[in-house]
């Protein structure tokens, strides 16, 4: 036991009326909604990078958080893992996620970094054996170190492509050993700063072949989890190739990977792409590539990816409604890709941020589940498309444009516009949240 969270109790469900800040008001893991325990619906994960590796910097200032595990030794990395599992225990979190760079010190060479990673994976494996919390996903950090500044798989230098292959292979091996349920690729530097020095076609081709190699390696080692791409339109690069769900789907189709790779959809990234979170979720589900969620929120004034903990259940209910419509998570979950503010110095802040985020999501899920169960919205949606159930409509999709056109004169079609009923549906929605 470390003393970092000393005096902070295990967080338990006390119900909506509780005034205890170290309690859940909505997240009740064993409560059953739509035939499934709340914990199994939400599948919460804590993100190692924001909670244990982030020093609190912003573009105008450096470190504000002074954690006793900060430093570049294996002893400190093990100490960090001890504290991390203490937070997971306090929250009762079923999962966590990490990048290699979050959990191990960077070595002077690739071989040394790999040795460090494998050493920490041994340590995490022993921790997982003794604790409830398991690995939702692992990933390689291919954006922080200066070697990645011009990209990883899309780097103009083939030696960096090789280094990216070695990094992803090492992290897939680590994820596989730890029983991770997914492997994530987020390409923060897979994009460009200026078109003036960029061969778009070559970079896209290299990214596509790289992803095929990742899938080939998954089968080679027998990794049963899902491979997930995390879309984001920009930041840190001016333009990123995995712009949004639609772009990722086109890319997957182009490289024959639409049946192999799904998406990890982040709330803040959806907003940066000019979409809503629920749009990205609904689109991914409709294309068969919905995998997992990175849960956070942005500040709507600043326009950057501020990665704040969610605190608006009405907004998140729209997202969880889409998760329910998609049939729920299989290998995926709700990963808090969210960080405390740089002024939130106290260990309590880290705990309460997660308590609030988990409660916000649980409250959102409860509202979404109630409406989904009542079937009112789905009934309205089905009624709107009911015309497509008729044989004439179905035949039209099988026939030609001319045959469809012929119906207009043959049947004297003069379609009467019907109300979209938006405000009624919005009022219906508001009855449930
Ligand atoms: C960056 C981001 C990453 C990925 C994992 O915006 O979301 O933390 O989730 O690399
Ligand atoms: Co993310």
């Amino acid at each position: 036991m470390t003393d970092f969270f000393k005096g902070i109790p295990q967080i338990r469900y006390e119900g909506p009326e509780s005034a205890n800040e170290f309690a859940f008001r909505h997240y009740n893991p064993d409560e059953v909604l739509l035939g499934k325990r709340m914990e199994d619906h939400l599948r919460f994960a804590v993100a190692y990078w924001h909670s244990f590796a982030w020093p609190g910097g912003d573009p105008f200032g450096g470190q504000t958080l002074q954690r006793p595990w900060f430093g570049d030794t294996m002893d400190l990395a093990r100490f960090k893992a001890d504290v991390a599992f203490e937070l997971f225990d306090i929250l009762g979190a079923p999962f966590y996620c990490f990048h290699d760079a979050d959990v191990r010190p960077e070595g002077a060479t690739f071989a040394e970094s790999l040795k460090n990673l494998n050493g920490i994976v041994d340590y995490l494996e022993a921790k997982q054996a003794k604790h409830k919390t398991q690995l939702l996903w692992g990933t390689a950090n291919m954006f922080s170190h200066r070697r990645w500044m011009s990209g990883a798989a899309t780097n103009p230098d083939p030696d960096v492509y090789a280094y990216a292959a070695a990094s992803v292979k090492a992290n897939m091996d680590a994820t596989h050993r730890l029983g991770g349920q997914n492997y994530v690729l987020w390409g923060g530097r897979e994009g460009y700063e200026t078109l003036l020095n960029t061969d778009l076609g070559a970079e896209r081709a290299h990214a596509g072949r790289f992803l095929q190699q990742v899938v080939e390696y998954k089968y080679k080692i027998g990794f049963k989890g899902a491979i997930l791409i995390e879309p984001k339109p920009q930041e840190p690069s001016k333009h990123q190739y995995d712009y949004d769900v639609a772009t990722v789907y086109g890319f997957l189709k182009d490289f024959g990977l639409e049946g192999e790779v799904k998406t990890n959809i982040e709330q803040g990234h959806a907003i940066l792409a000019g979409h809503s979170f629920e749009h990205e979720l609904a689109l991914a589900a409709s294309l068969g590539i919905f995998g997992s969620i990175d849960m956070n929120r942005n500040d709507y004034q600043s326009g950057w990816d501020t990665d704040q903990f969610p605190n608006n259940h009405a907004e998140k209910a729209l997202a969880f409604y889409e998760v329910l419509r998609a049939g729920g998570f299989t290998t995926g979950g709700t990963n808090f890709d969210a960080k405390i503010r740089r002024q939130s110095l106290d260990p309590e802040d880290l705990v309460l941020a997660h308590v609030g985020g988990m409660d916000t999501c649980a409250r959102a899920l409860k509202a979404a589940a109630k409406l989904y169960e009542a079937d009112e919205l789905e009934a309205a949606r089905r009624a709107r498309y009911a015309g497509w159930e008729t044989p004439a409509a179905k035949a039209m999709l099988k026939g030609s444009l001319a045959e469809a056109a012929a119906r207009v004169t043959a049947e004297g079609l003069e379609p009467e516009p019907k109300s979209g009923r938006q405000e009624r549906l919005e009022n219906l929605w508001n009855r449930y949240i």
Side-chain angles (χ1 to χ4, degrees):
M1 264 306 258
T2 76
D3 64 1
F4 187 72
F5 292 114
K6 204 162 129 208
I8 299 180
Q10 159 100 48
I11 310 295
R12 297 187 196 286
Y13 175 71
E14 291 186 3
E17 304 311 320
S18 172
N20 175 7
E21 56 176 356
F22 291 99
F24 293 121
R25 267 160 282 281
H26 298 279
Y27 181 56
N28 184 10
D30 291 320
E31 188 175 325
V32 173
L33 303 168
L34 300 168
K36 193 152 112 183
R37 291 171 64 248
M38 205 186 267
E39 181 176 64
D40 302 330
H41 271 288
L42 292 163
R43 292 167 60 84
F44 285 130
V46 175
Y48 220 96
W49 51 102
H50 288 313
S51 291
F52 304 107
W54 183 60
D58 73 7
F60 297 90
Q63 179 169 358
T64 57
L65 304 174
Q66 296 175 325
R67 303 304 196 201
W69 56 82
F70 281 174
D72 283 333
T73 68
M74 286 295 279
D75 278 345
L76 287 170
R78 281 186 285 265
F79 176 33
K80 177 161 52 172
D82 291 342
V83 177
F85 273 80
E86 283 166 15
L87 179 66
F88 307 159
D89 285 350
I90 288 171
L91 299 170
F95 296 106
Y96 72 111
C97 301
F98 68 79
H99 305 81
D100 47 1
D102 310 326
V103 294
R104 56 99 178 109
E106 178 88 24
T109 59
F110 182 82
E112 198 186 324
S113 293
L114 181 60
K115 184 164 165 268
N116 292 347
L117 179 64
N118 289 336
I120 287 298
V121 168
D122 291 341
Y123 198 69
L124 294 172
E125 194 171 36
K127 290 250 162 219
Q128 285 182 215
K130 288 206 205 96
H131 295 255
K132 160 183 172 155
T133 310
Q134 301 299 308
L135 185 64
L136 186 67
W137 49 263
T139 186
N141 178 326
M142 300 197 295
F143 45 90
S144 295
H145 192 281
R146 63 195 292 277
R147 80 173 65 85
W148 308 119
M149 70 177 194
S150 310
T154 63
N155 201 293
D157 180 352
D159 290 355
V160 180
Y161 184 105
Y163 214 99
S167 301
V168 169
K169 179 182 175 297
N171 282 280
M172 287 177 76
D173 289 340
T175 303
H176 186 38
R177 252 186 75 194
L178 292 172
Q181 302 207 7
N182 309 270
Y183 184 82
V184 167
L185 294 119
W186 170 64
R189 305 278 176 198
E190 309 292 30
Y192 60 79
E193 293 302 320
T194 172
L195 269 178
L196 297 178
N197 65 9
T198 303
D199 183 340
L200 264 180
E203 293 203 359
R204 193 169 178 279
H206 298 163
R209 181 59 197 136
F210 190 84
L211 193 56
Q212 288 170 340
Q213 289 171 340
V214 167
V215 171
E216 287 159 17
Y217 191 65
K218 164 188 153 148
Y219 286 110
K220 181 162 185 237
I221 61 174
F223 177 62
K224 297 279 178 289
I227 304 290
L228 306 177
I229 291 264
E230 185 173 322
K232 187 175 183 183
Q234 71 270 324
E235 201 205 333
S237 305
K238 170 189 159 61
H239 174 89
Q240 279 154 220
Y241 299 133
D242 300 327
Y243 198 94
D244 59 3
V245 168
T247 309
V248 166
Y249 186 70
F251 175 79
L252 294 178
K253 281 287 255 192
D254 207 7
F255 292 92
L257 295 170
E258 70 276 18
E260 298 288 352
V261 177
K262 295 186 171 137
T263 47
N264 180 40
I265 300 171
E266 179 162 327
Q267 199 270 0
H269 299 179
I271 304 296
L272 285 181
H275 303 301
S276 66
F277 191 24
E278 54 274 18
H279 163 89
E280 290 289 82
L281 294 168
L283 182 61
S286 74
L287 295 169
I289 57 167
F290 167 63
S292 199
I293 278 182
D294 265 10
M295 178 57 78
N296 54 31
R297 73 178 175 91
N298 283 358
D299 183 302
Y300 290 108
Q301 275 165 287
S302 75
W304 350 307
D305 190 16
T306 56
D307 284 341
Q308 290 169 252
F309 278 86
N311 58 8
N312 181 337
H313 77 279
E315 188 183 84
K316 299 305 174 205
L318 290 158
F320 279 108
Y321 192 82
E322 295 303 335
V323 174
L324 292 175
R325 286 187 70 220
F329 294 120
T330 52
T331 61
T334 307
N335 170 47
F336 287 107
D337 193 352
K339 58 179 176 261
I340 48 175
R341 299 301 88 193
R342 68 197 293 271
Q343 298 176 52
S344 302
L345 301 180
D346 300 338
E348 287 87 342
D349 295 324
L350 201 48
V351 174
L352 295 175
H354 285 89
V355 170
M358 290 162 84
D359 255 351
T360 296
C361 293
R363 196 172 173 189
L365 174 74
K366 283 197 287 189
K370 228 165 44 176
L371 179 55
Y372 192 68
E373 193 157 41
D375 199 42
E376 287 187 75
L377 197 56
E378 294 317 299
R381 198 191 315 260
R382 283 194 299 274
R384 189 158 185 248
Y385 290 86
W388 284 97
E389 298 305 317
T390 63
K394 287 190 169 145
M396 214 166 39
L397 295 181
K398 294 210 178 93
S400 67
L401 188 74
E403 284 164 333
R407 282 190 60 214
V408 175
T409 38
E411 297 175 33
L413 299 183
E414 290 299 337
E416 201 46 56
K418 297 185 188 72
S419 172
R421 303 183 152 191
Q422 181 167 336
E423 294 75 15
R424 295 168 77 167
L425 298 175
E426 287 165 348
N427 295 352
L428 167 69
W429 181 261
N430 280 330
R431 267 184 23 229
Y432 283 84
I433 52 168

